[in-house]
């Protein structure tokens, strides 16, 4: 990941870097890797995330179609 520093404005570059990391889901991944997660818990979490993504997709699709 790379961010350009323009006019020695490090604060703005840091803000841009944090935004990119947030968008990539890096902070969430770091939080999950902080401690051991049992394989069964991992599967359950991934399944719940998939359901959440699917429902969000359905909501957006319904909104777009005008329901």
């Amino acid at each position: 990941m790379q961010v350009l520093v323009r006019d020695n404005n490090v604060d703005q570059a840091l803000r841009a870097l944090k935004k990119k990391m947030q968008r990539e889901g890096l902070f969430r991944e770091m939080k999950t890797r902080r401690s051991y997660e049992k394989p069964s818990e991992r599967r359950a979490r991934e399944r719940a995330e998939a359901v959440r993504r699917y429902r969000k997709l359905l909501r957006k699709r319904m909104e777009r179609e005008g329901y």
Side-chain angles (χ1 to χ4, degrees):
M1 203 169 291
Q2 185 177 10
V3 176
L4 297 175
V5 179
R6 297 187 185 124
D7 301 328
N8 286 336
N9 196 346
V10 178
D11 292 330
Q12 185 179 6
L14 267 175
R15 231 177 292 126
L17 177 65
K18 285 182 183 178
K19 193 179 289 186
K20 277 187 176 184
M21 290 170 70
Q22 183 75 34
R23 224 178 289 130
E24 293 292 322
L26 206 68
F27 292 121
R28 191 180 313 116
E29 187 176 337
M30 284 171 31
K31 185 178 178 182
T32 57
R33 287 176 185 243
R34 228 175 252 157
S35 60
Y36 179 73
E37 186 178 26
K38 288 171 46 178
S40 60
E41 291 174 351
R42 192 183 115 244
R43 281 193 301 270
R45 178 181 49 81
E46 288 176 350
R47 202 172 294 131
E49 288 173 357
V51 167
R52 209 173 302 123
R53 278 193 309 268
Y54 180 70
R55 287 184 180 157
K56 183 177 181 180
L57 178 77
L58 283 180
R59 267 197 318 271
K60 293 219 179 221
R61 190 178 294 160
M62 295 296 260
E63 183 180 306
R64 202 177 328 120
E65 293 174 2
Y67 285 100

